[in-house]
Amino acid sequence: MPDLSTTWLGLSLKSPLVVAASPLSREPDAVARAVDAGAGAVVMHSLFEEQLTHDQMAAHRFIDATVDLDAETQGIRPGARAFTVGVEPYLRELERIKRRVDVPVLASLNGTTPGGWTRYAKRLEEAGANALELNLYEVGGPEGETGAAVEARQLAVVQAVVQAVKLPVTVKLTPFYAALTAFVRDLETAGARGVAVFNRFYQPDILLDTLDVDRQLVPSTPAELPLRLHALARLSATTTLSLACTGGVHSGLDAAKAILSGAHVVQLASVLLEHGPQHVAVLQGELAGWLDGKGYKSSAEARGVLDLRSAPDPHAWERLNYTRMLDGWRARDSWRRKS
Ligand SMILES: Cc1cc2nc3c(=O)[nH]c(=O)nc-3n(C[C@H](O)[C@H](O)[C@H](O)COP(=O)(O)O)c2cc1C
């Protein structure tokens, strides 16, 4: 059995297969089953900026309403902490999971603007999180905001969270940055220790019957993996940050591809929501079997073997692949062969 252990964000993990941020972490039993089946770490579902800002507003409104009360009445006023309705249950969930499993547990913060909410990172650290994943999910910034301004705003969020804690912080990114490797370099300067690529966009469809928006969350498929593999291969060649693959990993062979591209860990959401947390064991068996078959003694040995480090000019190489593929397709002409 090859050695599957890996180091991610400075944490030692027994396996690169990690439970991704998802509703699974709302159920400590499910988390424990994933860990028993081999998961090396767990990322909790997110605590959202909007949730935290709402909590702060509720606390302020309460204080405003009671500030003129006499000393006796003030004495029975509960502290502002009692009004952090969103954050308290989350902290309790985190503590429960920490008690159940012996692998690192990451809390997840999710937001896009710098502000007081980022200070909640400290509460997550105090509750026992081993690291933080900061999700910068946004489909588009405010109208008229330039790409440079979007990135500057997001870097300010990262800096604020990093400064609030001693824990390692990894940043979960969306795929559409004009210059991904440069932005990741800026994230490193801002103090991030890792990146997770990529968020899935939950692109709502249109319901033609009702002229409404269809907000159904459709699970991923392995077709979403190559976008991640390409980014990992580029990042693995250009950064020393820890790399997590998220999106489209449904088998141990998908995980092997991510590791060959440079991933330190592979996060799993849809596949576990579809097949159950114990399914980690299936992926682990497939990954170990593939590594063994290829003669790798460990997953670390396979990591980054297919990254772009050996390409002297990755940009030119990618353009060449692109033009070759389009040319090749014309020559094969699939529909003509079928008829
Ligand atoms: C039902 C569901 C809930 C999710 N909730 C979160 C969340 O709270 N925070 C987050 O960063 N990602 C969340 N995700 C995204 C996953 O962590 C993951 O990045 C994404 O689903 C792609 O991985 P997959 O192909 O393994 O599903 C969620 C995904 C699903 C399917």
Side-chain angles (χ1 to χ4, degrees):
M1 167 90 168
D3 174 12
L4 295 184
S5 65
T6 184
T7 304
W8 180 44
L9 307 168
L11 305 164
S12 298
L13 311 190
K14 63 182 180 181
S15 163
L17 301 176
V18 166
V19 178
S22 78
L24 207 91
S25 65
R26 292 183 190 275
E27 298 172 39
D29 283 348
V31 172
R33 267 192 284 151
V35 171
D36 288 346
V42 177
V43 186
M44 287 184 68
H45 64 92
S46 291
L47 197 49
F48 297 92
E49 171 182 353
E50 293 77 1
Q51 210 174 336
L52 296 170
T53 310
H54 178 267
D55 276 356
Q56 288 177 323
M57 300 288 283
H60 287 150
R61 270 199 301 276
F62 178 80
I63 290 163
D64 285 350
T66 55
V67 78
D68 292 331
L69 298 179
D70 58 43
E72 200 180 3
T73 320
Q74 290 243 5
I76 58 164
R77 190 182 79 183
R81 279 171 67 102
F83 292 86
T84 54
V85 285
V87 85
E88 293 299 338
Y90 190 91
L91 296 174
R92 300 295 87 77
E93 260 177 36
L94 168 57
E95 288 163 357
R96 269 197 299 277
I97 293 173
K98 282 292 296 175
R99 280 197 294 274
R100 282 297 294 276
V101 299
D102 58 358
V103 297
V105 177
L106 282 80
S108 166
L109 277 176
N110 199 316
T112 59
T113 58
W117 69 274
T118 55
R119 287 197 300 271
Y120 282 92
K122 186 81 197 148
R123 304 278 306 276
L124 302 171
E125 180 170 54
E126 287 163 359
N130 298 100
L132 296 184
E133 187 172 84
L134 171 61
N135 191 338
L136 297 174
Y137 185 102
E138 62 184 315
V139 181
E143 216 49 59
E145 194 179 29
T146 64
V150 171
E151 290 185 7
R153 172 168 54 73
Q154 295 188 345
L155 287 167
V157 178
V158 174
Q159 254 163 354
V161 171
V162 165
Q163 279 163 13
V165 290
K166 295 193 185 73
L167 295 176
V169 175
T170 177
V171 182
K172 190 164 175 178
L173 295 174
T174 48
F176 305 121
Y177 290 90
L180 178 70
T181 52
F183 184 59
V184 168
R185 194 186 52 221
D186 292 343
L187 288 172
E188 189 168 6
T189 307
R193 297 277 297 279
V195 286
V197 292
F198 286 122
N199 272 308
R200 291 178 72 214
F201 279 140
Y202 299 109
Q203 298 159 109
D205 203 351
I206 287 176
L207 297 166
L208 286 173
D209 280 349
T210 54
L211 292 188
D212 205 349
V213 171
D214 181 2
R215 292 186 191 81
Q216 224 183 87
L217 200 164
V218 180
S220 71
T221 72
E224 296 173 44
L225 185 59
L227 180 74
R228 278 84 183 164
L229 300 181
H230 172 247
L232 288 164
R234 291 181 71 199
L235 290 171
S236 172
T238 51
T239 180
T240 55
L241 292 184
S242 285
L243 301 177
C245 176
T246 176
V249 176
H250 284 252
S251 71
L253 303 186
D254 293 337
K257 291 177 189 175
I259 291 167
L260 287 168
S261 304
H264 294 88
V265 297
V266 174
Q267 299 187 350
L268 313 169
S270 295
V271 70
L272 301 187
L273 295 174
E274 277 173 339
H275 299 287
Q278 66 286 349
H279 197 69
V280 175
V282 174
L283 271 77
Q284 177 148 298
E286 291 167 348
L287 173 60
W290 183 85
L291 287 166
D292 206 26
K294 286 285 173 199
Y296 288 113
K297 302 242 172 317
S298 67
S299 56
E301 210 184 311
R303 197 185 78 74
V305 162
L306 293 182
D307 71 15
L308 284 176
R309 213 170 309 215
S310 53
D313 184 348
H315 183 64
W317 190 76
E318 283 164 358
R319 283 286 305 174
L320 187 67
N321 275 343
Y322 164 70
T323 52
R324 266 192 194 158
M325 270 195 266
L326 295 193
D327 261 8
W329 187 256
R330 199 176 51 210
R332 280 186 259 128
D333 230 346
S334 59
W335 60 264
R336 204 179 297 158
R337 248 188 286 131
K338 269 189 205 150
S339 59

